[in-house]
Amino acid sequence: MRPDDAVRRLKDYWREVVLLSHVQALLGWDQETYMPEGAVEERAAQQALLQGLIHRRKTALEVGELLAAAGAGEERPEGAEELGEVERALVRETYREWRRATKLPEDLVRRFAETTSRAQVVWQRARAEDEFGMFAPHLEEILSLVREIADRLGYEEHPYDALLDEYEPYMKASQVRAVFDRLEGPLVQLLEAIMEAGEVDDSPLHRHFPREGQEHVGRRILTDMGFDWKRGRLDVSAHPFTTTLGEGDIRITTRYMEDFLPSSLFGSIHEGGHALYEQGIAEELAGTILADGTSLGIHESQSRFWENVVGRSRAFWEKYFPLLEETFSSLSDVDFETFYRAINKVKPSHIRVEADEVTYNLHILLRFRLELALVEGRLAVKDLPEAWREESRRLLGIVPERDAEGVLQDIHWSFGGIGYFPTYTLGNLYSAQLAHAMERDLGDLSSLIAEARFDAILAWLREKIHRHGRTYPAHELCLRATGETLNPDYFLSYLRGKYSDVYGLS
Amino acid sequence: MRPDDAVRRLKDYWREVVLLSHVQALLGWDQETYMPEGAVEERAAQQALLQGLIHRRKTALEVGELLAAAGAGEERPEGAEELGEVERALVRETYREWRRATKLPEDLVRRFAETTSRAQVVWQRARAEDEFGMFAPHLEEILSLVREIADRLGYEEHPYDALLDEYEPYMKASQVRAVFDRLEGPLVQLLEAIMEAGEVDDSPLHRHFPREGQEHVGRRILTDMGFDWKRGRLDVSAHPFTTTLGEGDIRITTRYMEDFLPSSLFGSIHEGGHALYEQGIAEELAGTILADGTSLGIHESQSRFWENVVGRSRAFWEKYFPLLEETFSSLSDVDFETFYRAINKVKPSHIRVEADEVTYNLHILLRFRLELALVEGRLAVKDLPEAWREESRRLLGIVPERDAEGVLQDIHWSFGGIGYFPTYTLGNLYSAQLAHAMERDLGDLSSLIAEARFDAILAWLREKIHRHGRTYPAHELCLRATGETLNPDYFLSYLRGKYSDVYGLS
């Protein structure tokens, strides 16, 4: 078989994997939005069945044979040189998923699923009761499993690489560490300068905002951003998310808190950013393994770009504050400047998901370092709460009184998502770097935003990021879009510029 | 392998068929309720993929082997005598589905799917443009395919038997014909008597009824009926339906017309009746082939019982009319008697789905006879519109001016659902027969309804019908519940009693 024939057959073969994954996405979406509680058990069985069908298909002999015929192997995962660029990407990504799927014995996958499924239930209770000791044995089990997984998958430098690779393919722990090390000092310094400048009053955001008004504003902004309602929906769920049910069916969710405006507002914009990425993938890639975000970091860069760079900018609210004033009578005595400062208030706090743009990344640094120490065995699970408090004091200058507000706050470790956290900060870094490149190409971003010229912004993102799907790995995509690989300086200078303005720093 | 071991393994094996069917049901439900239009094409591909997976599983060699080991064969589809009652039912129904699935070659199934998928699109256009000629060649193709299907499946008396069997298992065309023949004269006579009694004014039902109010009333009645909201939902779709996504997840839909109250009102009660059936299936049957309605006729008997016998009764509205008056200001000048007569107005009309309790079945008689003639080849497709008009004149006393209001009005033939229509009338007949048996067991139904003692009614239905799922074929279930097999006299006497009251007939 010629390599290009093999690629064609691989593509056809993988189409069913994609279809089944989208069906799984519908099961998940429904579960979070509309499913009645009586369906919980059977839904789990449905998901497990589909999971099995997908795994079987991914690991079938045929895939290995077609990959070999396409010229792919450990040394050349992208396949034969004679293949075109997109074909090579297709082989590379299929090889990557096939390799991950075949390297993990079914028994290990099952034990991991069972352990994390139990652990999530225990974690929820442990958080509610503020009892780390309850969760600790489960976390130990999970750590031992992820170490086994890392060993099975293999790695060159560090077992963490194999874990990170699931969320941020082709990146290594050493690279993350180098970038995060460069961030730490400047972030802590900036935070100190902001703290010295005095506290911002965000009480106007805690007034009464009827749900209908929030939905009205959210939908209007999403429409202006370019969200395609014919190929997507907005619904409500306890935890906002974006999910892809097909190339023409990208759904987002939000949640409405009537006593806190930012939650739905920036939540909708954030998920909208993820959705625009998925809606922008080139039609030629539809139904293939490449029709997906290339990494969680790049995906997060799209949501953060819209949420923060655009959505928390002065220019954005010069355009939309009148809409808020019109919609919510509770804002009638609030002036623009007060509102703008309120949505950009910086203050160290315990809960990551409520953190501002500056302190957010310190939360991530903390988790990344503890994860590394746990995976390496330098840190014992029993010493984790104390280590958390120490790091929190050092990075954020505050110490949680309860583990529920500290080490127990996030769900990730309970579902085995070790290696996931860094992608949040990578997203922030990429978003600023992309914004900088966009300004180079399109001119002053503030003017575009103030005029709601989101079409120009979206067109740039489509061209540079969205349309490519997984054709290029994150580092290459970044290089192509911005002219250099990941560089945290753009994010630092974005933060410095913005918060000098908000807090009147010199 | 011992027969009971074979049954256990059959049950496990079939569990995946059930799970996949429920996943398919979610895809269908989502398509009719929330799916964005951009998803249409991929959703069709997802459905086709699941269809294929289910078919493959149903027709796998293993099924045939296990059925043989359970003692099942053409002469003894229920398997070995030593098996218990439920086990035998399980073997019988598995044999039935396996037999249908294996008798039809994949190529025929594919051609049928493609033909009907095209035909549905054409039918829609043909109806919109009132152009039967456009649809005719597709109907011819469908007829030739269903004849081929009937031949492959085999039949003793009439090819229609093999078609009917898909919707009303174990029933024969000759039985339907005999029952329908007994209905015709009395129905036509009753209709004439009603027409002579003068017209009822139903204009109060065509006033303004805000959607929120309709939903409020609908949910209240469904709750009183015993609909379990923890195991179900109510949503909106263009065409109301009930669907089962799992034993704990039975969903219904309705539609709200703000200028016509009965649509959502009786629509919700009707679908609620279907849902109560599905929610009432015994837990022991969950996840097996028996966890389903035993026939469409029996299913329809449940929806018709609640919609008509209960929902259009005098006693029901003595209880609920005050709720309507409270909810809708547009009814403030309408008295109970006027309302009660309005919702029970009888008048021949062209559109089946809008027909009253008396004329509805004449619509079905008409379609059944034309279907028989088409399948036998006694009637050519080109002569169908004229035959329709003749039968309509004979049965209903009116003739449609446009085919869009006549032969083109229903979707069924376009999706290949030949043999489906009779089940609607069978449902009406069973509903009256069940009501009669219920009165025998529980005493006066009107009193129970007037006191909203729906718990007693539901408990009877659960015991006699719901919990059994497909354990007994329709005729046996009817015999067990009522003491005799299908007898149309109960329905006729129900209609005579009710409409003598409404129209003051002697």
Side-chain angles (χ1 to χ4, degrees):
Chain A
M1 197 185 322
R2 278 173 28 201
D4 56 343
D5 282 333
V7 173
R8 248 189 304 282
R9 287 177 54 184
L10 258 185
K11 209 166 133 178
D12 286 347
Y13 185 89
W14 209 266
R15 173 78 179 124
E16 282 195 13
V17 173
V18 173
L19 282 172
L20 289 171
S21 310
H22 288 164
V23 171
Q24 262 205 318
L26 174 63
L27 292 174
W29 173 84
D30 181 70
Q31 183 163 347
E32 301 302 323
T33 52
Y34 295 110
M35 191 184 85
E37 59 182 89
V40 170
E41 263 183 60
E42 165 149 359
R43 183 56 50 90
Q46 292 165 349
Q47 285 282 22
L49 174 61
L50 283 172
Q51 193 63 47
L53 290 173
I54 290 172
H55 182 79
R56 221 172 302 158
R57 201 155 176 89
K58 275 187 181 175
T59 55
L61 273 182
E62 195 174 345
V63 180
E65 288 164 7
L66 289 173
L67 280 167
E74 199 73 1
E75 295 303 309
R76 203 170 55 181
E78 75 282 8
E81 272 173 33
E82 66 193 86
L83 295 169
E85 187 176 37
V86 173
E87 286 173 313
R88 282 203 307 275
L90 205 132
V91 172
R92 186 192 71 226
E93 292 302 312
T94 311
Y95 184 81
R96 193 177 156 272
E97 292 214 5
W98 170 79
R99 190 181 168 285
R100 284 189 75 91
T102 48
K103 289 242 169 185
L104 301 181
E106 216 168 304
D107 166 65
L108 176 56
V109 172
R110 216 202 54 242
R111 274 187 295 142
F112 187 69
E114 284 168 4
T115 304
T116 54
S117 150
R118 265 198 315 274
Q120 283 175 72
V121 178
V122 175
W123 164 75
Q124 249 175 351
R125 232 179 40 232
R127 186 173 67 161
E129 300 177 16
D130 192 30
E131 204 45 87
F132 181 75
M134 199 184 274
F135 179 54
H138 296 268
L139 183 54
E140 269 166 21
E141 214 180 324
I142 287 170
L143 276 167
S144 124
L145 283 169
V146 298
R147 277 194 215 105
E148 190 178 341
I149 287 172
D151 286 343
R152 295 272 187 182
L153 293 174
Y155 52 85
E156 280 168 33
E157 296 177 10
H158 195 289
Y160 194 88
D161 295 351
L163 306 174
L164 179 65
D165 188 71
E166 185 170 349
Y167 311 103
E168 197 61 27
Y170 312 107
M171 193 166 228
K172 290 195 173 11
S174 58
Q175 295 172 297
V176 175
R177 194 201 310 251
V179 168
F180 281 14
D181 285 350
R182 274 173 68 189
L183 277 180
E184 182 180 335
L187 281 181
V188 170
Q189 260 175 17
L190 177 61
L191 179 58
E192 282 169 3
I194 289 172
M195 289 297 92
E196 274 169 32
E199 193 157 332
V200 152
D201 173 24
D202 66 349
S203 63
L205 304 178
H206 291 275
R207 295 177 180 175
H208 182 66
F209 302 96
R211 192 198 129 132
E212 296 68 35
Q214 294 191 42
E215 188 171 344
H216 169 70
V217 171
R219 286 184 182 270
R220 164 74 185 282
I221 291 175
L222 283 166
T223 304
D224 291 354
M225 281 165 64
F227 183 85
D228 183 351
W229 296 99
K230 287 189 183 157
R231 302 200 296 136
R233 299 184 42 83
L234 171 68
D235 293 276
V236 174
S237 68
H239 303 279
F241 63 94
T242 301
T243 186
T244 295
L245 278 60
E247 51 153 338
D249 193 356
I250 320 291
R251 305 188 186 185
I252 62 179
T253 70
T254 193
R255 62 178 158 191
Y256 299 102
M257 299 181 166
E258 296 214 315
D259 56 357
F260 187 55
L261 183 58
S263 184
S264 81
L265 202 55
F266 296 108
S268 296
I269 300 175
H270 179 101
E271 302 305 332
H274 280 303
L276 290 178
Y277 188 3
E278 298 277 332
Q279 289 186 335
I281 293 171
E283 226 174 293
E284 305 92 85
L285 304 182
T288 74
I289 199 170
L290 299 180
D292 203 348
T294 198
S295 79
L296 286 196
I298 294 293
H299 230 306
E300 196 70 7
S301 79
Q302 298 307 296
S303 53
R304 295 296 184 167
F305 173 82
W306 288 100
E307 178 190 352
N308 291 331
V309 179
V310 175
R312 281 192 164 89
S313 70
R314 182 177 282 280
F316 187 82
W317 291 105
E318 274 164 6
K319 160 92 182 141
Y320 287 103
F321 189 62
L323 174 63
L324 287 190
E325 285 179 301
E326 232 169 70
T327 310
F328 303 112
S329 56
S330 50
L331 288 177
S332 61
D333 64 339
V334 178
D335 64 22
F336 174 81
E337 201 60 31
T338 304
F339 175 80
Y340 173 62
R341 284 165 56 89
I343 59 167
N344 283 298
K345 176 178 176 168
V346 172
K347 191 181 180 184
S349 64
H350 295 303
I351 305 300
R352 175 184 59 86
V353 296
E354 293 166 7
D356 55 77
E357 284 186 84
V358 178
T359 59
Y360 189 93
N361 303 289
L362 295 168
H363 285 273
I364 298 302
L365 263 60
L366 179 158
R367 285 159 179 75
F368 170 64
R369 286 175 183 164
L370 296 179
E371 277 188 352
L372 272 189
L374 287 168
V375 169
E376 287 173 14
R378 278 187 288 119
L379 176 63
V381 166
K382 71 170 170 43
D383 300 325
L384 183 58
E386 187 48 37
W388 184 286
R389 286 190 285 271
E390 263 174 48
E391 279 292 293
S392 182
R393 183 182 297 115
R394 210 171 57 72
L395 290 166
L396 291 158
I398 55 171
V399 177
E401 280 178 28
R402 306 164 59 244
D403 286 338
E405 292 194 323
V407 64
L408 283 173
Q409 70 181 275
D410 287 314
I411 193 176
H412 302 59
W413 291 341
S414 77
F415 70 67
I418 291 172
Y420 190 124
F421 282 120
T423 66
Y424 291 122
T425 284
L426 294 175
N428 286 327
L429 303 183
Y430 281 128
S431 78
Q433 188 165 343
L434 289 171
H436 184 265
M438 195 185 287
E439 283 213 303
R440 176 197 64 199
D441 294 348
L442 302 182
D444 183 40
L445 207 50
S446 305
S447 317
L448 286 175
I449 295 172
E451 294 160 25
R453 287 289 315 283
F454 300 137
D455 51 344
I457 292 174
L458 182 57
W460 191 91
L461 289 171
R462 288 231 161 111
E463 175 60 26
K464 302 287 183 182
I465 306 290
H466 301 177
R467 72 186 179 89
H468 304 295
R470 286 165 79 181
T471 307
Y472 308 113
H475 57 92
E476 193 181 338
L477 189 67
C478 178
L479 181 63
R480 285 169 168 267
T482 70
E484 54 185 317
T485 53
L486 184 61
N487 178 349
D489 291 342
Y490 294 106
F491 181 61
L492 289 170
S493 97
Y494 156 75
L495 285 186
R496 280 195 204 101
K498 176 164 179 180
Y499 289 96
S500 294
D501 173 41
V502 174
Y503 279 88
L505 309 179
S506 59
Chain B
M1 198 184 320
R2 277 172 31 200
D4 57 343
D5 282 333
V7 173
R8 247 189 305 283
R9 287 176 55 183
L10 257 187
K11 208 167 137 180
D12 287 346
Y13 185 90
W14 209 266
R15 173 78 179 125
E16 282 195 13
V17 173
V18 174
L19 282 173
L20 289 172
S21 309
H22 288 164
V23 171
Q24 263 205 317
L26 174 62
L27 292 173
W29 172 84
D30 181 71
Q31 182 163 349
E32 301 303 322
T33 53
Y34 295 111
M35 191 184 83
E37 59 182 270
V40 170
E41 264 184 61
E42 165 149 0
R43 183 56 51 91
Q46 292 165 351
Q47 285 282 22
L49 173 61
L50 283 173
Q51 194 63 50
L53 289 173
I54 291 171
H55 182 78
R56 223 172 302 156
R57 200 156 177 88
K58 275 187 181 175
T59 55
L61 272 182
E62 195 174 346
V63 180
E65 288 164 6
L66 289 173
L67 281 167
E74 198 73 3
E75 295 304 309
R76 202 170 56 182
E78 75 284 7
E81 273 174 32
E82 66 191 86
L83 295 170
E85 188 174 38
V86 172
E87 286 173 314
R88 282 203 308 276
L90 204 131
V91 172
R92 185 193 73 226
E93 291 304 310
T94 311
Y95 184 82
R96 193 177 156 271
E97 292 215 5
W98 170 78
R99 191 182 168 282
R100 284 188 76 91
T102 47
K103 288 240 171 189
L104 301 180
E106 216 168 305
D107 165 64
L108 176 57
V109 172
R110 217 201 54 244
R111 274 188 296 141
F112 187 67
E114 283 168 4
T115 304
T116 54
S117 150
R118 264 198 316 276
Q120 283 175 74
V121 177
V122 174
W123 164 75
Q124 248 174 352
R125 230 177 43 232
R127 185 173 69 160
E129 299 177 17
D130 191 32
E131 203 44 88
F132 180 76
M134 199 185 276
F135 178 56
H138 296 267
L139 182 55
E140 270 167 20
E141 214 180 323
I142 287 170
L143 277 166
S144 126
L145 282 169
V146 299
R147 277 194 215 104
E148 191 179 340
I149 287 171
D151 286 344
R152 295 272 186 179
L153 292 174
Y155 51 86
E156 280 168 34
E157 297 177 9
H158 196 289
Y160 194 87
D161 295 351
L163 306 174
L164 179 65
D165 188 71
E166 184 169 350
Y167 311 104
E168 197 62 27
Y170 313 106
M171 192 165 229
K172 290 194 172 13
S174 58
Q175 295 171 295
V176 175
R177 194 199 314 248
V179 168
F180 282 14
D181 285 350
R182 275 173 65 189
L183 278 180
E184 182 180 338
L187 280 182
V188 170
Q189 262 175 16
L190 177 61
L191 180 57
E192 282 168 3
I194 289 173
M195 290 296 92
E196 273 169 32
E199 192 156 334
V200 152
D201 172 25
D202 66 350
S203 63
L205 304 177
H206 290 275
R207 295 179 179 175
H208 183 66
F209 302 96
R211 192 200 130 131
E212 296 68 35
Q214 294 192 42
E215 189 172 341
H216 168 71
V217 171
R219 286 183 183 270
R220 164 73 185 281
I221 291 175
L222 283 166
T223 303
D224 291 354
M225 282 166 64
F227 183 84
D228 183 351
W229 296 100
K230 287 189 182 157
R231 302 200 295 136
R233 297 183 46 83
L234 170 67
D235 293 274
V236 173
S237 67
H239 302 281
F241 64 94
T242 301
T243 185
T244 295
L245 280 60
E247 52 151 339
D249 193 357
I250 319 291
R251 305 189 184 184
I252 61 179
T253 69
T254 192
R255 62 176 159 193
Y256 299 102
M257 298 182 167
E258 296 213 315
D259 56 357
F260 188 54
L261 184 58
S263 183
S264 81
L265 203 54
F266 296 107
S268 296
I269 299 175
H270 179 101
E271 302 305 334
H274 281 303
L276 290 179
Y277 189 2
E278 298 277 333
Q279 289 187 336
I281 293 172
E283 227 175 291
E284 307 91 85
L285 304 183
T288 74
I289 198 169
L290 299 180
D292 205 348
T294 199
S295 79
L296 285 196
I298 294 293
H299 229 307
E300 196 70 6
S301 79
Q302 298 306 296
S303 53
R304 295 296 184 170
F305 173 81
W306 289 100
E307 178 191 352
N308 291 333
V309 179
V310 176
R312 280 192 166 88
S313 70
R314 181 177 282 279
F316 187 82
W317 290 106
E318 275 164 5
K319 159 91 182 145
Y320 287 103
F321 190 62
L323 173 63
L324 287 190
E325 285 179 303
E326 233 168 71
T327 311
F328 302 112
S329 57
S330 51
L331 288 178
S332 61
D333 64 338
V334 179
D335 64 22
F336 173 83
E337 201 61 30
T338 305
F339 175 80
Y340 174 63
R341 284 166 57 89
I343 59 168
N344 283 299
K345 176 178 178 170
V346 172
K347 190 181 182 184
S349 64
H350 296 302
I351 305 299
R352 173 184 60 86
V353 296
E354 294 165 7
D356 55 77
E357 285 185 82
V358 177
T359 59
Y360 188 93
N361 304 289
L362 295 168
H363 286 272
I364 298 301
L365 263 61
L366 178 158
R367 285 158 181 74
F368 170 67
R369 286 173 181 165
L370 296 177
E371 277 188 353
L372 272 189
L374 286 169
V375 169
E376 287 173 15
R378 276 187 288 121
L379 176 62
V381 167
K382 71 168 171 40
D383 300 325
L384 182 57
E386 187 47 37
W388 184 287
R389 286 189 286 271
E390 263 175 47
E391 277 293 292
S392 182
R393 182 182 299 113
R394 209 171 57 74
L395 290 165
L396 291 159
I398 55 173
V399 177
E401 281 180 25
R402 306 163 60 242
D403 287 337
E405 292 194 322
V407 65
L408 283 173
Q409 69 181 275
D410 287 314
I411 193 176
H412 302 58
W413 291 340
S414 77
F415 70 66
I418 291 171
Y420 190 123
F421 283 121
T423 67
Y424 292 122
T425 284
L426 293 175
N428 287 327
L429 303 183
Y430 280 129
S431 78
Q433 190 165 342
L434 289 170
H436 184 264
M438 196 185 289
E439 284 212 303
R440 175 198 65 197
D441 295 347
L442 302 181
D444 184 38
L445 208 49
S446 304
S447 316
L448 287 175
I449 295 172
E451 295 159 24
R453 287 289 315 283
F454 300 137
D455 50 345
I457 293 174
L458 182 56
W460 191 93
L461 290 171
R462 286 232 162 111
E463 176 59 25
K464 302 288 183 184
I465 306 290
H466 301 177
R467 70 186 180 89
H468 304 295
R470 287 165 77 181
T471 307
Y472 308 113
H475 57 91
E476 194 181 337
L477 190 67
C478 178
L479 180 63
R480 284 168 168 267
T482 70
E484 55 185 315
T485 53
L486 184 61
N487 178 348
D489 290 343
Y490 295 105
F491 181 62
L492 288 170
S493 96
Y494 157 77
L495 284 186
R496 280 196 203 101
K498 176 164 180 179
Y499 290 95
S500 295
D501 173 40
V502 174
Y503 279 88
L505 309 179
S506 57

